[in-house]
Amino acid sequence: MNSSRGPSPLTVGTTECIPIAVAFNETVHASVYSGQPPSTWLVKVIGTLAVSFPAGFVQLVSSSRYVDDLKFSVLNSGQLSRAVVNSDIVSSSCDGVFESYIEYTFKRDQLKAELLKQQAEKPLSKFFNVEVFKYQIDAVSYQSNYLPLLLNTEYDEGSSGETEGSNRMVSSSSDEETAQKECSLSIKSEYNHSCICNNSSLVAAKPLLNVNILAKLDSANPVHDEGSLKVTSIDPAPILNEAGKIVWKIGAVSMNSSCSHLFVQWTQPSSHNNDTQQALDPFSSSQSTGHNRPVIAAQFTSEGQLLSGLEFDLLSPGYRLSLYKQKLQTGKYLCHC
């Protein structure tokens, strides 16, 4: 990979290499079941690769000056499940079988037409982005390799009138008067940073940033007032957001962080008319999982690492890599009790 010499200039000289910027963006989706083997987990990584050209490059390709074709390769492509190449602008050496090394070449005339189109739409723009391809990884084995944040959750239901050791909510009524009981519900969750293994080698994972863990409330029985739940928790204290979700704002999590625990407990009155458990439990997820169990969601971002392990290698000597970005973020990242 050619070294970076700083941000792309707004103009391109007649002798220097043409600066380009490259960005990989990946989104990880996960559905993990606590206490179940990884073979039952659903993990998917969706990503894009885009190349950015400075505005001065448009003038170059529009002039009579010869400009080298932009060629590059993407390494470690063998684990991709599928990829959709922007074949209108880019040609690929891939014939449908993903190999560890795939070459790509921008089609000069088509690239020129695309950049002129973008310039006409945004004449003051300092750079123009071209998406090269979209890709996907379906983790059918070694799912934990694609989970940078591991979650494990326990859920307990009880009633203040129950006997020792019982974990079922109950309600009772006597003739026309009902004794309102309080149901005690709690969620205990633990999380820790996980090593990422790409291409049979361990990656020194970078910290996860903007980490939030959310307890998703049942839309059929939302809670919009913190006073309606009696919540206690160890640090960090949870908050109830405007969407009716309990949120722990963790911040950053690194490989040096120890396994951390979250706990929340609350009480609310039992139903006196023997309603279903879902009506009692604001964390019910029956609509999404088919049973009344809570779902814990995680959000985070990370810079400078990819779960796919893909790498960009610039092959054309007439260009230089001025900026190289790798960004990871969560999509639906869920842990089911």
Side-chain angles (χ1 to χ4, degrees):
M1 180 186 303
N2 291 21
S3 61
S4 170
R5 298 194 314 194
S8 300
L10 303 184
T11 59
V12 179
T14 57
T15 58
E16 68 174 313
C17 292
I18 299 169
I20 62 170
V22 172
F24 281 98
N25 288 282
E26 289 187 350
T27 301
V28 55
H29 301 272
S31 186
V32 174
Y33 296 85
S34 292
Q36 299 298 317
S39 60
T40 65
W41 302 351
L42 302 175
V43 181
K44 181 182 298 184
V45 178
I46 298 175
T48 62
L49 168 62
V51 176
S52 180
F53 298 87
F57 180 72
V58 183
Q59 281 69 45
L60 285 181
V61 296
S62 301
S63 67
S64 58
R65 175 186 167 186
Y66 175 79
V67 178
D68 289 337
D69 290 337
L70 175 54
K71 298 181 179 180
F72 63 91
S73 65
V74 175
L75 309 179
N76 306 324
S77 303
Q79 59 184 320
L80 298 184
S81 302
R82 59 184 62 85
V84 179
V85 178
N86 187 355
S87 57
D88 292 338
I89 300 177
V90 182
S91 61
S92 167
S93 65
C94 179
D95 57 359
V97 178
F98 296 111
E99 301 175 350
S100 60
Y101 177 94
I102 300 177
E103 288 191 9
Y104 297 87
T105 304
F106 275 96
K107 302 174 183 178
R108 187 184 309 174
D109 293 339
Q110 290 81 350
L111 176 61
K112 172 183 174 181
E114 172 63 23
L115 295 178
L116 288 173
K117 175 184 175 183
Q118 291 192 32
Q119 186 183 56
E121 295 172 349
K122 298 180 179 180
L124 299 181
S125 180
K126 299 177 182 179
F127 57 88
F128 303 102
N129 299 321
V130 178
E131 186 174 276
V132 176
F133 67 85
K134 300 177 181 179
Y135 58 91
Q136 180 172 314
I137 298 175
D138 298 320
V140 295
S141 59
Y142 305 106
Q143 288 90 338
S144 60
N145 289 350
Y146 299 96
L147 296 176
L149 186 70
L150 293 180
L151 294 172
N152 185 54
T153 302
E154 297 178 8
Y155 176 60
D156 183 68
E157 308 163 6
S159 172
S160 59
E162 293 180 310
T163 59
E164 184 82 19
S166 175
N167 66 346
R168 300 291 297 175
M169 290 190 298
V170 297
S171 62
S172 65
S173 61
S174 58
D175 296 333
E176 300 183 3
E177 296 230 4
T178 300
Q180 291 286 339
K181 292 187 178 182
E182 280 195 337
C183 296
S184 174
L185 304 96
S186 66
I187 290 177
K188 181 173 68 175
S189 184
E190 62 181 23
Y191 63 92
N192 65 289
H193 199 307
S194 171
C195 296
I196 301 173
C197 184
N198 288 323
N199 306 293
S200 301
S201 62
L202 194 64
V203 176
K206 297 182 180 296
L208 304 178
L209 307 176
N210 307 310
V211 179
N212 291 329
I213 296 179
L214 306 87
K216 304 183 69 175
L217 306 184
D218 184 7
S219 59
N221 188 28
V223 177
H224 298 293
D225 179 10
E226 288 191 9
S228 62
L229 292 179
K230 299 176 182 178
V231 179
T232 60
S233 175
I234 61 175
D235 291 334
I239 62 173
L240 189 67
N241 68 10
E242 62 277 4
K245 297 179 181 179
I246 288 183
V247 183
W248 290 272
K249 293 184 176 294
I250 309 299
V253 178
S254 69
M255 289 294 294
N256 296 326
S257 303
S258 60
C259 181
S260 300
H261 299 267
L262 300 171
F263 179 75
V264 60
Q265 185 176 34
W266 70 99
T267 58
Q268 68 179 47
S270 299
S271 171
H272 65 275
N273 58 358
N274 201 28
D275 283 343
T276 63
Q277 178 180 334
Q278 179 176 345
L280 300 175
D281 181 6
F283 288 84
S284 167
S285 59
S286 58
Q287 293 180 351
S288 59
T289 63
H291 49 82
N292 295 322
R293 307 296 291 174
V295 176
I296 302 301
Q299 301 170 339
F300 56 81
T301 62
S302 186
E303 301 281 349
Q305 67 178 343
L306 299 173
L307 296 179
S308 65
L310 296 182
E311 290 287 348
F312 181 95
D313 186 24
L314 183 59
L315 302 179
S316 299
Y319 296 81
R320 66 177 177 89
L321 196 58
S322 66
L323 184 64
Y324 184 58
K325 295 183 65 176
Q326 297 173 312
K327 184 176 180 180
L328 173 66
Q329 64 183 7
T330 49
K332 293 183 177 181
Y333 200 95
L334 308 176
C335 179
H336 304 269
C337 295

